[in-house]
Structure formats: structure tokens, C-alpha cells
Amino acid sequence: MIQHPAFAVEPWVVRETELDLDRLAQTESVFALANGHVGLRGNLDEGEPSGLPGTYLAGFYEVRPLPYAETAYGNPEAGETVINVTNGKIIRLLVEDEPFDVRYGVLHRHERVLDLRAGVLIRTLEWESPAGGSVRVSSTRLVSFAQRAIAAILYEVEAVDGPTAVVVQSELVANEETPVDESDPRAAAALASPLHSQLSGSRDTRLMLAHSTGASGLTMAAATDHAIDGPPGTTATAETYEDLCRLLVAADLVPGKPLRLVKFIAYGWSSQRSLPAISAQVTAALAEAQHAGWDGLLSQQRAYLDDFWDRADVEIDGDAELQQAVRFGLFHTLQAGARAEKRAIAAKGLTGPGYEGHAFWDTETFALPVLTYTVPQAARDALYWRHLTLEAARQRATLLGLKGAAFPWRTIRGQECSGYWPAGLAAFHVNADIADAVARYRAATEDDTFERAAGLEVLVETARLWRSLGHHDAEGSFRIDGVTGPDEYSAIADNNVYTNLMAQRNLLAAVEAVQRNGDRAAELGVDSEESADWRDAAEAMLVPYDGARKVHPQAESFTQHQVWDFASTGPEQYPLLLHFPYFDLYRKQVVKQADLVLALHLRGDAFSAEEKARDFDYYERLTVRDSSLSACTQSVIAAEVGHMELAYDYFGEAALIDLDDIEHNTRDGVHIASLAGAWIAAVAGFGGMRDHGGKLSFAPRLPEVISRLVFRLTFQGRRLVVEVEPHRATYSLREGEPLEISHHGKRLTVAGRPRVRSIPPAPARDAPTQPPGRAPSRRRPPRPSRSS
């Protein structure tokens, strides 16, 4: 979309200067606002036309049956699907009794701006009705970071040519008609009008609707109140129905004297509290929002984001497009998790219904590293959510005949929702990914309270899982057989290198946490014998190596498989899973997404520099990137081994995944993992940041076009700023005690004054090749930027 002439490249905003109805669904995702608790797609204020209506609450879902051609032991019987809840965004407008609709009349001007510093979506337009009446309309929408239950809209209408009668209709609407998957009639039936009315009412300018779900047993309420400033004679009346509440504001306008309406919207839900309690909650939230007022909400939003950008901003000189894209990615990552507060961070955040609103391992592996070093409390709360689902994970492990806890491959509230077991249920690495996020958070924050309350138990139960899932073979090696790694074009393999190395880290992290918290570990039933057993398994972990090819196979025997016939695969046959049977994919050397290469990043401490270079070269020839999770990791390792321009190309692909709609599915919501991956590509790729063993190290290098990179980190109570230029790096401590780091393998302490170090040249290597037609797009010359 950013290539569309209606979009401009600007450092702090995403601006659309004309409305393209063919791209409406994509822009609704791009312009979505959320805070981790409430999410509003960027639908037009008047509700129609729309690509995909959407208002979401974190963790609010309905249960639906999972279809199977044949039953099998251990298959989950039901799934969880995020639902479009009561829509409070809608503000309809009638001009001299003509409904404002962009498809009719003449739209003289239309602009939307997502302001990444102010945290608002601004829309301005001028419209002439079919009957000739003209109005200017402006709206500013926010979802509050400061008040998590609150969204608000400032809506203004002004007559252009002369006296004009207008009616503004502010609505709450439940059970909007939304597209459903008609190929699964049981799912369609379960999700048709999923909200059952419990309460509807109005008082003065306040409206409220409350609904419950039929199967998941959740109750929600939405309420809205208004501040109206109009010309003399302006009136307001309300009407209510089961699924609709509407406030009608009528005014006679003259040029220069607009009608101004501020709409405060509050949401609340619970699986346990009563309807009166939930209603009281949203009423109280409205009262606080009205107490702050529109200007107060704007001020709170700006203050929150000023602090965020001070801790998290990434500055890029030399590529204005990537500068905009990285900030866009950071903003959406923040929106996905800032106020989630012990609820799941979904793969699409709260921007669309993609993946049914499920959280995957993406959360811990891509989103949480960003949040850990920029908004650590958000990372902590996401890990607390995993701890809250621990009992369901224990039950799942028991069902599978295993010990400990088996966390779900995809879920909203903790139950397994994957209906395809080879690619999902066998992907046990999700447990090590969660443990890795726990260990990273504790090392980065030294939050002992979290570790004792939740982190230790997660590490213990996942360690128990690995010990029961694997076994020592006759040679004494610890094997983990019959599992699926991150690559979804391989399944049920023995000793997947990524899985084994991450499980090894999981086991050792559990041992260390037990040593730090002996009394708490004893309460969990851990004794010295069990802890020693975990250490033995970790030390004996089998890591396959192909001595003939001098590379690590993705899993045992992988490099002995036949290589996929890339030469005979046409560009129209990608993604491969839509054109070839999994059976054929699973027995060939073809990689959907970074798997072994992801191990080179997250477990880089287990490989030598030359092993990384050889492994990366080998898997570049096999990786087709039919997944949005791949480009950022390939960028990181390409930069580490010295392929700087290739790293730059992959960086662009990760960062522009949604602004360019690279996967052609942004309509379903933005790709949070890839947007977070843009930060990872910048900081871990060109910044060379690693965090093995709770220590920070940096090995920065830049591609030719980028002349300067600056990023910020929060680590163990310090605020660190790293500035990278072509030949030198500068490390500055903005807050906290002196910090020991390393720069290209040499230790240094950053304290009161900046420390400057030279950057050694990248090693000279032959450029690797990719499957025909699957190389990343080369970064084009950057377009001129517009100041903002």
C-alpha cells in the first residue's frame, strides 16, 4: 500500500491522501488502534462501506466445534475464535436528510493520518451530497493507553456553502454482519450473531448494551456518553433496541460554526463477574474518561507515547521508507501488548480476525523480545498470562502421556485449538520458546518477584515435559524424537536442532531458577535429584551434524532427503502448501521459514562463526519464505555472517510486510511478529545485539545505504543508547548504574561518558543463493521523505 500514490513516506505518520475502496480492508488493519485490551479496526466512522468490520476485546471469544474427517485420540474437540464485539465507533451523518456515504455524491477531499507520536487516527474530508449540500467533516479517534477500557472520538461537522441541517447518529451496534468461513458450516453457525442481549438502555446522552456468549460463558458491556457543543437549538434524543443504541443529534449549521461531538466509549468483560458488576465497571470507566475530558485523554496519550519513544525509538538515516516502517512496527507491537495485562497477545494483535485471534509461539519469540527491552511490564504480564494457563497445559500433558506442562500451539484462553496435529500439536518447541521468554525477561529485569510467583513454575513444568518427552539412547545422548520444529514444511522429525537446543536452554534455565529459589522449588516438589536429571539431559542433548556436508541438518537425516525440484516450481505455485500435498513437502529438502537459521540466532552461543556461515548458506538455497516469520531472522543472520546487503533486503521485507501488503492478507490484521521482527532486524541484525546468559553483547555493522542507526534498550534498570555509524559505534548510558557489555567480542563498561569503539569490516564471503524466484526484493532507492 505504501507504493500507492495516495500514501506518503513520512517519519512519524502513515498518511493516506485519497480513499481507495479496493484497498479498504487492508487500510482498516493498517489504521487500527488498540492498547492490548481494546482494539478498533480503522473502519470509516459511518460504518459503511467497510472491508471487514471489527472491534475486539483481548481474550473475548466464542467456542466452536473443530471439524475432523476422522476422530483420533488427543485431538481437541473445540476451538476458540475471537468475535467482533459491540461496535462503538459508528457515527453516521445525514446532510439535509441525505446519508453521508463516500460512494455517493462527490468526495472532494479525503485524508487519513495515523499519528505514531500522538497515538490517534485523524480523518478529514469534504463531501457534497447528491442534493448539493456540502460539509467538512473531521474526526480524531484514540484508544487510550492510560485508561485501558476507553476509546474516544472527536467528531466535527461544518457547513461549507450556507445553512445546512444535519443529524449525527452516534451508535452502539452488536452482532454486525461479518464474513465467515462458509466452508465450515459448524463454525459459521457458532459465530452467527454470537452475542446474546442481556441489557440495553439509555439515559440522557449515555447508551449501554450488555451481551453474553452462548458457549464460552463470557459477558461484556459497552457504554458510551457524549459531550455536545453545537449551535443554539441543537437537540439530542436516544433510542434503544436489543442490539442497537443510538443517540440522534440534530443541528442547523452555518459556515464557521461547527457541530462538535466527543464520544467516550467504555468496554468491560468477565467470565465470572455479574452483569451489574460489569455494567458498573464500564459506567465508572466512562466517568473517569469524562473527568479527564477529550483534551485530557489526548494529553495522557501523548505523555504515554513520549515516554515509550524515549525508551524504544529506532532512528535510521539513509532510508526514509524503513524509518517509517520500523516506527509503524513498533507502534503496532506496543498496541498489541501494552495493556493486555494477563491476556494473550494474538498473532494479529487486536487489528483483525486472522488466525481466529489466536496466540502462537510468535508471541514469545518475536513480540516479547521487543517488549522486554522497551516496555518490560507488558512482557511480564504476557508471561503471567501463560502462567495462568498452566493448569490447562498440565492437563494437556497428562492427556498426551507426558509429565509437566504442554502449552498449546494456538489458543486464546489456554486450551489447545489446533486441529492439525503434525504441524501444530507436535510442535513442542512452543514450550521452550515460552521458557526462553521467561528466562530473558528475568535476566533483563532481575524481577525476582515475578520469578517466584510465576516464572519458576513455568520453567519447572516445561523442564519436566522435556525430560519425559525425550530419552537417553544407548550412546548416552539425550534424544527428542518425533516432533515438529518451526519449519512447517517438515514434520514429525527426530532431533530437530532448534527444538533440542531450545529445550537444552529450558532445562538449564530451570536448574538455575531452582538454585535461586530453593524454598519455592521445594514447594513445587523439585528435589536435587530431579534438578540434576535436568542438567544431565541438557548436557547430553543430541545436536545432529552432517560431517560430509559440514552443516547442521535441520533435523536428523534432513540433509539426506531429496532436494525439492525448485526449477520446475513456477512462481504461481507459491505458497507451496496451497499447491502440493504436505506428504510431498515433508519428505523433501524445502523450508517454509527459518528453522535451523532461527537456532543460529536464538542459540548462537552453540555454534562457531564458521558453522553459522556454512549453515546460513546451505539453508538460503532451501528456504522459500512462505511464512512472514522468516525474513527478520534471515536478516539477523545474514548481517552476522557478513552479507550486509542481503540483510538489508530481508529487513525491508520484514518491516514492510503490511505497509506493502507483501503477503496479500493484511486485510485480516497486521502481522505482529513480522512488525516486531523489524525491530529485531535493526537491533539484533545491524546492531548485532545478543543476550546469551543474561549478558548483553553487540557486533554492529551497517549496509552501505544506511549511514546511521540509533536504538534504545532498557536492561536491568539501565537505559542504554547505541549509535552505529559506518566505522564506529557509540554506547551511552542515559540512566542507571554502570553496565558491562561487549563490542565485537571485547568487554567494556559503559558509565558516565559515552564509549566509542571502531567497527571491524565484515568478512568477505561469496553471496548465497535462494530458490529461483524466492530471493527478497532488492531495496530500491529511497523515496524523498516529507517532514512531520
Side-chain angles (χ1 to χ4, degrees), residues 3-279:
Q3 300 309 308
H4 192 284
F7 282 84
V9 176
E10 304 179 50
W12 283 105
V13 304
V14 178
R15 185 187 307 272
E16 177 197 52
T17 56
E18 64 183 58
L19 190 63
D20 184 344
L21 296 183
D22 291 334
R23 296 172 180 263
L24 198 54
Q26 292 94 324
T27 57
E28 287 167 351
S29 297
V30 167
F31 289 135
L33 295 177
N35 62 9
H37 181 66
V38 177
L40 310 182
R41 278 178 64 81
N43 306 114
L44 302 180
D45 299 285
E46 55 275 14
E48 297 178 18
S50 69
L52 188 63
T55 302
Y56 310 104
L57 299 176
F60 196 87
Y61 69 98
E62 182 57 302
V63 173
R64 69 174 186 87
L66 284 177
Y68 297 100
E70 298 179 2
T71 59
Y73 178 81
N75 278 347
E77 296 180 358
E80 299 162 350
T81 301
V82 67
I83 59 177
N84 178 27
V85 301
T86 304
N87 185 356
K89 303 189 295 289
I90 293 180
I91 302 177
R92 303 186 195 275
L93 172 65
L94 277 78
V95 180
E96 300 287 358
D97 80 8
E98 284 277 359
F100 166 51
D101 188 318
V102 296
R103 296 168 292 189
Y104 302 97
V106 181
L107 191 62
H108 291 289
R109 183 172 62 88
H110 192 282
E111 181 174 89
R112 288 188 289 178
V113 176
L114 178 64
D115 189 321
L116 306 177
R117 286 183 292 192
V120 296
L121 176 63
I122 302 167
R123 181 189 185 201
T124 55
L125 63 94
E126 187 170 321
W127 179 74
E128 181 181 341
S129 77
S134 294
V135 291
R136 294 189 189 95
V137 178
S138 65
S139 69
T140 304
R141 181 187 301 175
L142 68 81
V143 175
S144 176
F145 288 113
Q147 300 187 37
R148 75 167 194 166
I150 294 297
I153 303 169
L154 169 63
Y155 192 87
E156 294 182 295
V157 187
E158 182 179 359
V160 174
D161 298 322
T164 304
V166 301
V167 177
V168 171
Q169 298 174 306
S170 174
E171 298 183 352
L172 287 175
V173 183
N175 289 316
E176 290 179 295
E177 185 175 341
T178 58
V180 295
D181 182 6
E182 295 183 358
S183 66
D184 182 357
R186 290 184 292 177
L191 298 177
S193 298
L195 296 172
H196 306 292
S197 178
Q198 299 295 319
L199 178 154
S200 63
S202 63
R203 181 179 179 182
D204 298 327
T205 60
R206 179 172 297 178
L207 313 172
M208 181 179 289
L209 290 177
H211 289 78
S212 63
T213 57
S216 60
L218 307 178
T219 301
M220 66 152 293
T224 181
D225 209 340
H226 305 78
I228 303 167
D229 182 9
T234 298
T235 62
T237 57
E239 56 188 25
T240 63
Y241 308 91
E242 278 194 351
D243 288 343
L244 170 67
C245 286
R246 177 185 292 137
L247 181 73
L248 299 100
V249 181
D252 295 320
L253 303 183
V254 295
K257 294 185 178 181
L259 170 65
R260 184 178 192 265
L261 178 144
V262 177
K263 183 176 187 178
F264 303 97
I265 313 160
Y267 289 95
W269 74 266
S270 178
S271 60
Q272 300 181 29
R273 288 183 291 119
S274 67
L275 178 59
I278 297 171
S279 301

Side-chain angles (χ1 to χ4, degrees), residues 214-457:
S216 60
L218 307 178
T219 301
M220 66 152 293
T224 181
D225 209 340
H226 305 78
I228 303 167
D229 182 9
T234 298
T235 62
T237 57
E239 56 188 25
T240 63
Y241 308 91
E242 278 194 351
D243 288 343
L244 170 67
C245 286
R246 177 185 292 137
L247 181 73
L248 299 100
V249 181
D252 295 320
L253 303 183
V254 295
K257 294 185 178 181
L259 170 65
R260 184 178 192 265
L261 178 144
V262 177
K263 183 176 187 178
F264 303 97
I265 313 160
Y267 289 95
W269 74 266
S270 178
S271 60
Q272 300 181 29
R273 288 183 291 119
S274 67
L275 178 59
I278 297 171
S279 301
Q281 173 193 349
V282 296
T283 301
L286 272 182
E288 176 58 27
Q290 290 175 293
H291 175 69
W294 173 255
D295 291 340
L297 289 174
L298 277 182
S299 178
Q300 291 171 356
Q301 191 84 335
R302 183 61 184 246
Y304 185 98
L305 285 165
D306 282 347
D307 179 61
F308 170 72
W309 291 117
D310 186 57
R311 289 181 284 110
D313 189 25
V314 174
E315 301 173 49
I316 298 173
D317 290 352
D319 191 326
E321 197 172 71
L322 280 186
Q323 175 66 89
Q324 179 188 45
V326 168
R327 285 179 174 146
F328 173 80
L330 272 168
F331 182 73
H332 268 292
T333 304
L334 176 71
Q335 290 199 130
R339 300 302 302 272
E341 295 174 4
K342 302 183 183 179
R343 289 179 182 142
I345 298 176
K348 297 290 187 180
L350 296 172
T351 68
Y355 300 119
E356 299 184 86
H358 291 165
F360 297 77
W361 67 291
D362 311 14
T363 298
E364 284 76 20
T365 302
F366 298 94
L368 291 199
V370 180
L371 295 175
T372 293
Y373 295 111
T374 58
V375 194
Q377 65 271 22
R380 175 200 64 203
D381 286 349
L383 295 171
Y384 268 124
W385 165 70
R386 285 292 192 185
H387 181 258
L388 289 172
T389 68
L390 196 53
E391 184 53 38
R394 288 192 187 99
Q395 293 173 8
R396 183 70 186 164
T398 299
L399 180 68
L400 298 176
L402 300 168
K403 296 180 181 179
F407 283 100
W409 174 244
R410 56 189 302 170
T411 189
I412 294 176
R413 290 294 297 277
Q415 285 69 39
E416 179 61 75
C417 294
S418 176
Y420 183 63
W421 73 270
L425 305 185
F428 284 95
H429 68 83
V430 64
N431 299 281
D433 301 325
I434 293 167
D436 185 50
V438 168
R440 177 183 296 107
Y441 170 78
R442 193 269 167 191
T445 63
E446 299 179 320
D447 187 346
D448 294 330
T449 300
F450 164 79
E451 182 171 72
R452 289 182 64 81
L456 174 66
E457 191 171 12

